[in-house]
Amino acid sequence: MLASSIATAFQRAFSYPPLLVRAPGRVNLIGEHTDYNEGFVLPAAIDKQIYFAVGLNGTDTIRLISYDKDERHEIGVAGIRPGRTLWANYLLGVAAQLQARGMAVPGFDCVFGGDVPMGAGLSSSAAVECGLAFALNHLLGAGLDRLELARVAQAAEQTYAGVQCGIMDQFASLHGRPGQVVRLDCRSLTYDYFPFDTAVCGIVLCNSGVKHSLASSEYNTRRQECGRGVGILQKLFPLVRSLRDATLAQLAECRAEMGETVYRRCRYVVEENRRVEVACEHLLAGDLAAFGQQMYASHAGLRDDYAVSCRELDLLVEAARPLPGVYGARMMGGGFGGCTINLVAHEEIPHFVEQMSAAYERQLGQKLDTYQTTIVGGVETMGGRE
Ligand code: GLA
């Protein structure tokens, strides 16, 4: 429905038929803040998506329309730069990155919109970046593969949105497969798919409603703290290239020099990488209860050592834990707000939603938005003009 409204809006604005593309947001089952430490993540693309109508217009002008905001932005291809229209920056960042790779980006038109809630930790920005990168690659016949497109989109986020993000979100949006989660090794960028048994439980997201305004500055600070930790580790252990290589014993030896803050940031990352490995073994064995325990441990580490949670997220995890049918819960994404991810037995989901909403209302006086999501395939064209 939304996709066809966006196609219609394009046709009305520009009077020619567009290419249609959908780009999903993502969840991450476990492996948080590990991607930029060359570790492991376990994301999946979800049915909260951004839809694009895109066409080459034969001019030197880029014309962008945000369907959701009902706003328009125009800029010449020769003068692409980030500006005050924040939503446009994600798109312009992609065009700039393609240019930086030596591609001649001609004038194009783009109408986009979707149902990925903004600031909810579901990577709406990655979906926006990946969708346009995919569409332009397709229209221009540029031949970039999905991994290269993920790198283009990640670099767009870093340069035009100012977040020194890792590659997880963009990778997940482009590499999703229906019904499967993907374990990505963020060093080698090799990956494996694991079936996620949706017959047993569903993925329910609880949106704290807290917009992560601290997220980008604190995110960049965490990256720096990890980098400082690696610098100190390398003096004693020259083979440590990133926290991916470090052990808890090595960290303990460097604790005094690191100081408590850097030490705890590093300890969290080392432990979280291990948790992803253990969690994948549980997933393969079909042991969702054990998998869920790793999720709770992940949340505790994010809250206590990495310090990226907040009161509302902690409250949501604690409210979920005792409810029947809940296998695991934790905060998800960069932190400081956004959603918790909950694995809940299907038959208990209505009761779960009711109880969580009541608890949020009672303890914070706020209405809780929840989303039951399914795992879908990565970015793709949707028919229309190819
Ligand atoms: C954000 C970033 C990702 C990743 C997560 C934390 O979503 O964009 O690269 O670092 O935070 O795991």
Side-chain angles (χ1 to χ4, degrees):
M1 255 324 271
L2 193 48
S4 63
S5 308
I6 284 165
T8 307
F10 183 100
Q11 182 77 41
R12 203 173 295 137
F14 303 118
S15 307
Y16 64 94
L19 171 75
L20 292 182
V21 166
R22 63 161 190 89
R26 63 101 188 89
V27 291
N28 184 26
L29 270 75
I30 194 161
E32 219 64 87
H33 288 276
T34 45
D35 60 352
Y36 54 84
N37 288 301
E38 297 191 336
F40 299 92
V41 293
L42 193 64
I46 56 167
D47 60 349
K48 294 274 172 203
Q49 320 205 51
I50 308 281
Y51 301 93
F52 293 79
V54 187
L56 303 179
N57 59 26
T59 74
D60 287 335
T61 303
I62 296 172
R63 301 183 291 190
L64 308 172
I65 293 179
S66 162
Y67 181 83
D68 300 327
K69 290 191 183 293
D70 196 16
E71 284 175 20
R72 191 173 168 134
H73 189 80
E74 286 197 18
I75 193 166
V77 285
I80 297 175
R81 60 179 180 287
R84 268 183 304 209
T85 309
L86 296 183
W87 60 263
N89 287 343
Y90 298 102
L91 301 166
L92 296 176
V94 168
Q97 282 303 317
L98 292 175
Q99 288 179 335
R101 281 162 177 74
M103 265 166 73
V105 177
F108 66 89
D109 301 320
C110 170
V111 181
F112 78 104
D115 62 0
V116 190
M118 306 272 292
L122 304 182
S123 298
S124 55
S125 63
V128 169
E129 293 147 1
C130 291
L132 183 67
F134 187 91
L136 290 178
N137 186 50
H138 189 98
L139 288 169
L140 296 170
L144 301 184
D145 66 20
R146 284 176 185 263
L147 208 47
E148 288 170 283
L149 291 174
R151 286 206 182 91
V152 164
Q154 177 195 18
E157 176 88 23
Q158 293 182 337
T159 51
Y160 273 50
V163 181
Q164 294 306 308
C165 64
I167 200 162
M168 169 171 73
D169 304 345
Q170 293 80 8
F171 177 91
S173 182
L174 281 154
H175 292 81
R177 275 197 192 162
Q180 302 196 9
V181 295
V182 53
R183 180 182 58 192
L184 172 67
D185 176 336
C186 299
R187 168 174 281 165
S188 64
L189 298 181
T190 52
Y191 49 96
D192 306 282
Y193 291 95
F194 290 76
F196 184 78
D197 193 353
T198 42
V200 179
C201 75
I203 298 174
V204 185
L205 305 170
C206 293
N207 190 348
S208 68
V210 180
K211 292 269 184 297
H212 40 279
S213 56
L214 266 177
S216 49
S217 62
E218 288 292 324
Y219 187 94
N220 294 343
T221 305
R222 293 297 175 283
R223 263 198 99 133
Q224 286 162 11
E225 288 166 341
C226 292
R228 280 217 294 284
V230 171
I232 293 167
L233 277 160
Q234 280 172 340
K235 289 196 239 164
L236 276 187
F237 308 104
L239 293 181
V240 171
R241 270 171 48 202
S242 73
L243 289 178
R244 149 75 168 276
D245 305 311
T247 64
L248 290 176
Q250 290 172 333
L251 280 184
E253 284 195 50
C254 298
R255 185 168 187 163
E257 189 175 349
M258 283 183 180
E260 213 46 19
T261 300
V262 169
Y263 169 75
R264 291 177 76 157
R265 305 292 189 254
C266 294
R267 179 171 69 183
Y268 162 76
V269 173
V270 171
E271 289 178 349
E272 181 76 350
N273 271 326
R274 178 76 190 122
R275 280 192 284 268
V276 180
E277 286 181 60
V278 173
C280 286
E281 283 161 24
H282 293 319
L283 203 54
L284 281 176
D287 190 346
L288 279 178
F291 185 95
Q293 290 309 311
Q294 298 299 317
M295 293 174 73
Y296 289 123
S298 169
H299 184 80
L302 288 159
R303 180 190 62 208
D304 301 335
D305 279 351
Y306 218 64
V308 291
S309 187
C310 63
R311 179 168 163 251
E312 293 83 354
L313 291 170
D314 294 343
L315 198 142
L316 286 170
V317 170
E318 289 317 313
R321 198 192 289 260
L323 294 178
V326 175
Y327 290 101
R330 60 179 203 85
M331 59 151 276
M332 190 178 70
F336 302 101
C339 291
T340 60
I341 176 169
N342 304 266
L343 302 188
V344 187
H346 280 295
E347 65 279 11
E348 292 291 347
I349 290 177
H351 178 247
F352 172 83
V353 167
E354 188 190 298
Q355 292 295 309
M356 291 298 289
S357 303
Y360 214 56
E361 176 81 51
R362 192 169 58 242
Q363 298 191 45
L364 292 177
Q366 278 178 43
K367 190 181 157 296
L368 180 69
D369 281 333
T370 59
Y371 322 108
Q372 194 180 337
T373 56
T374 53
I375 300 180
V376 303
V379 182
E380 66 180 6
T381 57
M382 300 179 69
R385 190 171 63 94
E386 296 264 324

